[in-house]
Amino acid sequence: MKTGQPLDEADRRLVLATQAGLPLVARPYEAIGAQLGMSSEEVRRRLDGLLARGVIRRIGAVPNHYALGYVANGMSVWDVDDSKLDELGEAVGHLPFVSHCYRRPRHLPLWPYNLFAMVHGKSREEVRGHLAAIAEVLGSACRAQDVLFSTRILKKTGLRLGGES
Amino acid sequence: MAERQQAAALSELDRRIINALQGDFPLVEAPYAAVADRLGIAEETLLARLAALLEERVLTRFGPLFQVERMGGRFLLAALAVPEERFEEVSGEVNALPAVAHNYRREHALNMWFVLATETPEGIPEAIARIEAATGLPVFAFPKEREFFVELKLEA
């Protein structure tokens, strides 16, 4: 698993100042800079650097799936033959309706699944249709499956570093 | 704050704004003006609609999305099997940790699924220990052993 270097002090303060969102003002980077004692150019240069390093995946809107009508949020889980999982996992990840796809450890006997694929849909029926497509990709390499629909969002704040901004 | 869980009635303009803002927000001096230009609307309109969408929880956040592992930190997916009569109490205890970035109820014996995001690797076992101490329940950890390629954008 690739890890990165800890942030320098100025980048860390920039993360703290922006982790709850960008200001909704005409010149947001200038506003952040004023808060941190940096010029707008420096704020933008540092954000660009954090994007280039992958510390920031992107700057944009995080939609609430439910509000967009994607009310069925299905975490599908699969018990896949370990020797076939990496190849089949790639194929599942490429399916257009899969938003996240990971290999994770089993916790036997309660949890026999080692492949997790997140599938969003406008209804549970739609999601189940997508799951049938995943099952077809996995074929006989899959011994068991389940889907855990989310029924409540209990918290959704994203990353929050501690400390003063 | 309760998270919105019903579909919103979105105007055509709101849909266009949401779709336009799922891409890369420009690093220019007046970025909202640049996006408003592309959409053919006034900057003030974009800012007002964006504020409303955030207020209505149609958007949960607008800003940088962080990959904590690239700054030396860790994410971890974990779950608890919470007895039904304790669910609200345990939810409160888990949500109280800043390290808990997301927390969802799901239908399974493992009924509480959350993502820990910490700035340092040690932060993960510390957060797990705190949750176990606060709740008296064992945390089931599901670290990612391999991430498979995905590309998804939700059409508003």
Side-chain angles (χ1 to χ4, degrees):
Chain A
M1 202 73 48
K2 223 167 159 188
T3 60
Q5 295 310 303
L7 304 171
D8 71 22
E9 189 51 42
D11 278 346
R12 193 173 186 284
R13 287 166 57 228
L14 181 54
V15 168
L16 285 168
T18 56
Q19 64 188 359
L22 284 184
L24 297 186
V25 298
R27 305 172 99 78
Y29 307 120
E30 187 178 283
I32 292 163
Q35 207 187 317
L36 299 177
M38 281 180 206
S39 67
S40 163
E41 286 76 19
E42 188 180 352
V43 169
R44 284 182 283 125
R45 184 177 54 78
R46 285 183 174 278
L47 288 173
D48 195 52
L50 292 170
L51 276 162
R53 280 158 54 196
V55 173
I56 294 178
R57 296 203 307 268
R58 64 179 173 91
I59 300 176
V62 181
N64 178 333
H65 298 124
Y66 291 87
L68 295 188
Y70 292 88
V71 293
N73 168 317
M75 186 175 78
S76 73
V77 292
W78 312 81
D79 176 9
V80 180
D81 183 330
D82 291 316
S83 66
K84 308 246 172 61
L85 177 47
D86 282 351
E87 173 202 330
L88 293 173
E90 280 296 320
V92 171
H94 276 81
L95 294 169
F97 46 78
V98 172
S99 59
H100 300 286
C101 192
Y102 300 98
R103 186 181 82 210
R104 301 187 189 274
R106 297 182 174 90
H107 286 267
L108 294 170
L110 173 66
W111 188 265
Y113 312 107
N114 58 354
L115 177 66
F116 288 54
M118 194 70 70
V119 179
H120 297 279
K122 303 213 163 176
S123 68
R124 291 195 177 193
E125 276 54 58
E126 184 188 325
V127 170
R128 292 190 195 283
H130 293 322
L131 299 189
I134 295 177
E136 216 175 292
V137 167
L138 296 176
S140 58
C142 174
R143 281 102 47 139
Q145 64 178 93
D146 200 348
V147 58
L148 281 71
F149 286 103
S150 66
T151 52
R152 257 176 84 190
I153 306 172
L154 303 170
K155 184 180 183 187
K156 195 179 173 190
T157 51
L159 172 74
R160 291 298 157 100
L161 302 188
E164 314 247 325
S165 54
Chain B
M1 178 192 302
E3 291 293 348
R4 187 196 187 98
Q5 293 195 220
Q6 302 95 32
L10 293 175
S11 67
E12 184 54 40
L13 176 60
D14 282 344
R15 289 181 187 279
R16 289 178 57 224
I17 288 172
I18 292 168
N19 289 334
L21 291 176
Q22 282 191 74
D24 303 311
F25 195 60
L27 288 176
V28 299
E29 196 55 38
Y32 299 106
V35 173
D37 260 0
R38 284 208 306 264
L39 290 169
I41 61 178
E43 183 184 34
E44 297 75 35
T45 306
L46 176 63
L47 284 167
R49 287 318 304 151
L50 185 46
L53 292 168
L54 285 162
E55 176 71 38
E56 290 155 21
R57 313 295 296 154
V58 174
L59 300 177
T60 59
R61 195 157 36 103
F62 175 75
L65 306 188
F66 297 103
Q67 174 46 275
V68 76
E69 277 148 1
R70 293 301 182 103
M71 51 171 114
R74 288 286 188 280
F75 283 120
L76 177 73
L77 178 68
L80 294 170
V82 184
E84 194 55 46
E85 67 276 9
R86 293 189 58 205
F87 198 89
E88 293 308 310
E89 167 211 332
V90 170
S91 179
E93 283 156 357
V94 171
N95 288 348
L97 269 76
V100 173
H102 301 157
N103 190 11
Y104 287 76
R105 178 169 188 144
R106 291 191 184 275
E107 294 176 332
H108 191 270
L110 288 172
N111 54 4
M112 187 178 292
W113 288 79
F114 51 96
V115 172
L116 296 172
T118 61
E119 199 173 351
T120 62
E122 312 78 70
I124 295 288
E126 279 165 19
I128 290 176
R130 286 180 63 188
I131 291 171
E132 290 186 336
T135 64
L137 298 168
V139 169
F140 289 77
F142 294 96
K144 67 182 177 195
E145 293 174 341
R146 168 102 187 247
E147 180 166 1
F148 298 107
F149 164 90
V150 289
E151 187 176 321
L152 177 87
K153 269 204 190 130
L154 290 185
E155 271 293 315

